Amino acid sequence: MKRLTLFTVFSITLLNTMGIASLVPLLPLLAKTFNIPLESSWRIIASFALPGLICIPFVGIWADRFGRKKVLVPALLLFAVGGVCCLFSRTYLELLFWRMVQGIGSAPLGLLYPTIIADTWQGVERIKAMSQNAIVLGLGTAVSPALGGALAMLDWRLPFLLPLLALPVACIAMRLPLMKPSVQMPFGEYLAKLLQTTREKQTLTLLGLTLCTFIMLSGPIITCFPLLAETLFQATPLESGLIIASASFASGLAATRLPQLYRRFSSRNLFLAAVILYAVSFYTIGFAPALWLLLPPVFIYGLAQGLNIPLVSILLTNQAPDEQRAALMAANAILLRLGQNIGPAVFGTLASLTNPGDAIRAGVVLAVCMATLVLNTKLPSVRSAEETKTASP
């Protein structure tokens, strides 16, 4: 059952990344298909991310109070239905509507896969599972843009068939013995303890890192990079997808070394290393004189993601007890979705006012914000958290 659970977690992770990553290289093509300005194509991403801001708090509490499965299975079904209906959109407004429906189904997935890992494994095994899932996350975000771009070369509708993969995952999830609350504490007490956890400085810092991370992902990379490749080098969707895929392969490469890195270095040093890589990537990406010379800075960005995202997940899941974990990860997912909405709006506007290269370089400001958060907080090391969990009865 643990192997089947891990397979399901991997599948949820892939589906969650697919919802946005598979469409990144399609944005210029969708703009032409629906006759909208290229700079407005970011709304296709934002419409998917926006519903999460509304429904994630409720699904996190629901998963804590009534069990993970009662949230996971309906979410997978809605993700599939909303995604496939995008295929039949005849107008831009119809496409945005069905993307919102798909986004409602996707919203619980991002908070449930780290929650299920933390429910099922502890100590060293939890770190291994998180690291393996980070590799899957990297591979998924690598394959999805290339796959979406390749399918779009045949027909722009074909990438919207990919969400159908959620249906067999939902069938498998129905068989799993996912965690249910053992003791139903009064709702007021549940909220009071949850608020106490979220007010801790370490928790607030980790949540702030999530917000910065996903503003950087959805802004400079997802929104501005396809514009840069299109306007400067007339890149096809497939070419843009392949270059973006290099970041995901880099993330997977970094994730393979995470257990060793966590034993040797403090959380602060690993976060600061990621910040430096982010800054180098954003500053240099706009100076590439040829399309394929965009690969090195995008690859560097992927290394930063591979260090940063799994570390935040591990430290956050250690911050809350089992009966509040989904709600805390929901708070993390809200900021993730908020970043996915802020990034396209802010950086898409910057790209229209200046140019995509300058907009991407503005991402260095977010890297500085991350460094400020890390330097002003005493973060626990993964090693100490691992020892604490392993010693627990």
Side-chain angles (χ1 to χ4, degrees):
M1 268 309 165
K2 282 193 173 183
R3 291 180 181 177
L4 193 59
T5 300
L6 192 61
F7 171 79
T8 304
V9 167
F10 290 166
S11 301
I12 296 169
T13 301
L14 290 173
L15 290 168
N16 192 52
T17 58
M18 188 184 299
I20 289 180
S22 64
L23 296 190
V24 172
L26 277 70
L27 294 181
L29 178 60
L30 291 173
K32 294 176 183 177
T33 300
F34 291 97
N35 195 26
I36 61 171
L38 184 61
E39 292 79 10
S40 299
S41 61
W42 60 267
R43 293 186 176 91
I44 298 171
I45 302 299
S47 63
F48 179 87
L50 182 60
L53 295 176
I54 301 171
C55 62
I56 282 177
F58 302 101
V59 297
I61 293 172
W62 185 274
D64 275 339
R65 304 288 286 175
F66 303 105
R68 318 309 192 202
K69 192 182 300 186
K70 290 185 178 180
V71 172
L72 176 58
V73 174
L76 289 168
L77 296 177
L78 194 59
F79 178 86
V81 171
V84 172
C85 286
C86 291
L87 184 151
F88 301 104
S89 300
R90 293 170 295 178
T91 67
Y92 182 53
L93 290 179
E94 285 185 22
L95 177 63
L96 294 182
F97 172 78
W98 289 116
R99 285 286 288 168
M100 290 184 70
V101 173
Q102 186 187 13
I104 294 172
S106 171
L109 303 183
L111 70 94
L112 282 176
Y113 70 76
T115 301
I116 293 172
I117 289 176
D119 289 342
T120 310
W121 292 276
Q122 289 189 350
V124 177
E125 295 303 317
R126 179 183 295 179
I127 293 174
K128 288 181 180 178
M130 287 283 191
S131 301
Q132 290 169 354
N133 196 62
I135 296 172
V136 172
L137 178 65
L139 293 175
T141 50
V143 172
S144 294
L147 180 59
L151 291 173
M153 298 288 285
L154 302 174
D155 192 301
W156 69 267
R157 298 173 180 84
L158 291 181
F160 292 105
L161 290 174
L162 295 175
L164 285 174
L165 295 172
L167 297 179
V169 179
C171 294
I172 295 172
M174 292 177 67
R175 299 177 51 200
L176 297 177
L178 301 180
M179 197 190 91
K180 297 179 181 178
S182 55
V183 178
Q184 192 77 307
M185 71 174 66
F187 188 64
E189 181 183 350
Y190 167 85
L191 285 181
K193 289 185 176 180
L194 178 62
L195 288 173
Q196 182 180 355
T197 301
T198 54
R199 287 174 181 169
E200 294 175 3
K201 187 175 182 180
Q202 292 177 347
T203 303
L204 292 173
T205 295
L206 293 170
L207 294 175
L209 292 175
T210 293
L211 178 62
C212 292
T213 298
F214 284 90
I215 292 176
M216 291 191 296
L217 173 61
S218 61
I221 300 300
I222 288 180
T223 301
C224 296
F225 180 83
L227 301 180
L228 179 74
E230 167 81 9
T231 55
L232 292 185
F233 307 111
Q234 293 74 51
T236 66
L238 180 58
E239 288 171 333
S240 293
L242 288 173
I243 294 174
I244 293 173
S246 69
S248 304
F249 281 118
S251 296
L253 179 64
T256 62
R257 310 304 302 171
L258 290 181
Q260 294 86 350
L261 291 173
Y262 293 159
R263 285 195 293 268
R264 294 185 59 187
F265 301 101
S266 68
S267 300
R268 172 179 288 189
N269 288 340
L270 290 173
F271 277 129
L272 291 177
V275 165
I276 292 170
L277 292 173
Y278 281 133
V280 170
S281 172
F282 292 144
Y283 186 76
T284 59
I285 198 169
F287 295 114
L291 177 64
W292 296 108
L293 290 178
L294 292 169
L295 275 170
V298 173
F299 188 87
I300 290 172
Y301 168 83
L303 291 176
Q305 290 286 82
L307 289 175
N308 178 31
I309 293 179
L311 183 54
V312 171
S313 294
I314 291 173
L315 295 180
L316 266 181
T317 54
N318 286 330
Q319 286 291 104
D322 294 348
E323 64 272 13
Q324 298 165 12
R325 184 174 292 126
L328 180 58
M329 297 312 295
N332 188 61
I334 290 171
L335 291 171
L336 184 157
R337 290 301 175 116
L338 185 61
Q340 289 176 335
N341 282 275
I342 292 174
V346 172
F347 284 87
T349 302
L350 282 175
S352 64
L353 294 176
T354 56
N355 60 72
D358 287 341
I360 291 173
R361 280 189 286 275
V364 174
V365 175
L366 288 169
V368 173
C369 292
M370 291 182 69
T372 303
L373 285 172
V374 171
L375 291 172
N376 285 281
T377 307
K378 185 178 180 181
L379 292 169
S381 68
V382 175
R383 181 170 54 189
S384 62
E386 169 190 321
E387 291 167 353
T388 301
K389 288 291 180 180
T390 305
S392 299

